[in-house]
């Protein structure tokens, strides 16, 4: 899509939207992944990445986390220690030609220091956007967007 004033092209705008069957397959993978993550079943989470796990956490400088060891030790261990009883309230799901996007609300009481934020036992309630990128019906990575400053402000 371009206008006469601007030569801006929307990447992927020319790709077809997924049909109902592909949407259903992708949603099943996202559901399996999300349920495993909510239960802290990290092996179950990693099993949803048949080609190997990749997590891109945009709020973290050291992102991406690639492979089982990196994901377990550098992402989930810290997150689980700080927020062992986290709730992911799912609000909306969106489909694109190459991704399933979840809008969610992350709610949890802090129980350990997190990313330089001292534990004061307070609760965070912050929006997140999760992009599950697919190659057909195969999950290839998860990209997570949230504002770390919102966490810091709420947990101060």
């Amino acid at each position: 899509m371009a206008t006469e004033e601007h030569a801006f092209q929307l990447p992927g705008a020319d790709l077809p939207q997924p049909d109902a069957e592909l949407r259903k397959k992708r949603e099943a993978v996202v559901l399996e992944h999300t349920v495993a993550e909510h239960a802290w079943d990290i092996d179950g989470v990693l099993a949803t990445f048949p080609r190997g796990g990749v997590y891109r956490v945009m709020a973290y400088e050291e992102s991406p986390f690639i492979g089982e060891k990196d994901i377990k030790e550098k992402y989930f261990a810290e997150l689980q220690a700080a927020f062992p009883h986290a709730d992911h309230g799912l609000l909306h799901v969106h489909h694109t030609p190459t991704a399933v996007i979840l809008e969610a609300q992350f709610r949890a009481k802090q129980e350990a220091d997190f990313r330089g934020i001292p534990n004061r036992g307070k609760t965070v309630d912050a929006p997140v956007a999760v992009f599950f990128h697919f190659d057909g019906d195969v999950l290839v990575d998860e990209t997570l967007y949230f504002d770390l400053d919102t966490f810091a402000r709420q947990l101060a």
Side-chain angles (χ1 to χ4, degrees):
M1 178 172 130
T3 66
E4 290 182 29
E5 293 179 36
H6 303 284
F8 185 77
Q9 296 289 328
L10 294 175
D14 58 334
L15 296 175
Q17 289 293 323
D19 63 20
E21 183 179 334
L22 182 55
R23 286 172 58 122
K24 186 175 180 178
K25 287 178 181 179
R26 288 178 177 178
E27 285 178 357
V29 171
V30 169
L31 184 60
E32 178 184 347
H33 180 100
T34 303
V35 167
E37 197 169 90
H38 187 77
W40 296 114
D41 174 10
I42 308 311
D43 289 329
V45 168
L46 292 168
T48 64
F49 294 101
R51 299 177 187 162
V54 177
Y55 267 78
R56 290 181 172 81
V57 183
M58 303 315 288
Y60 296 178
E61 288 184 28
E62 69 275 21
S63 178
F65 303 105
I66 300 171
E68 180 178 336
K69 183 177 186 206
D70 213 27
I71 292 168
K72 283 182 174 181
E73 293 177 7
K74 296 180 182 175
Y75 177 63
F76 279 113
E78 177 187 44
L79 189 64
Q80 185 176 13
F83 305 106
H85 306 290
D87 179 45
H88 307 90
L90 302 179
L91 304 173
H92 302 283
V93 61
H94 307 277
H95 291 267
T96 77
T98 60
V100 174
I101 304 166
L102 296 182
E103 293 180 64
Q105 197 72 17
F106 179 87
R107 296 178 188 95
K109 179 180 177 186
Q110 186 181 13
E111 298 189 25
D113 293 352
F114 177 71
R115 299 259 139 195
I117 304 168
N119 177 23
R120 294 183 179 90
K122 292 188 175 184
T123 299
V124 66
D125 186 349
V128 297
V130 188
F131 289 65
F132 294 93
H133 295 104
F134 284 85
D135 178 8
D137 63 356
V138 176
L139 180 61
V140 294
D141 75 39
E142 176 180 335
T143 303
L144 177 65
Y145 293 88
F146 67 94
D147 181 24
L148 196 54
D149 287 341
T150 298
F151 276 58
R153 191 172 48 257
Q154 290 185 11
L155 297 171

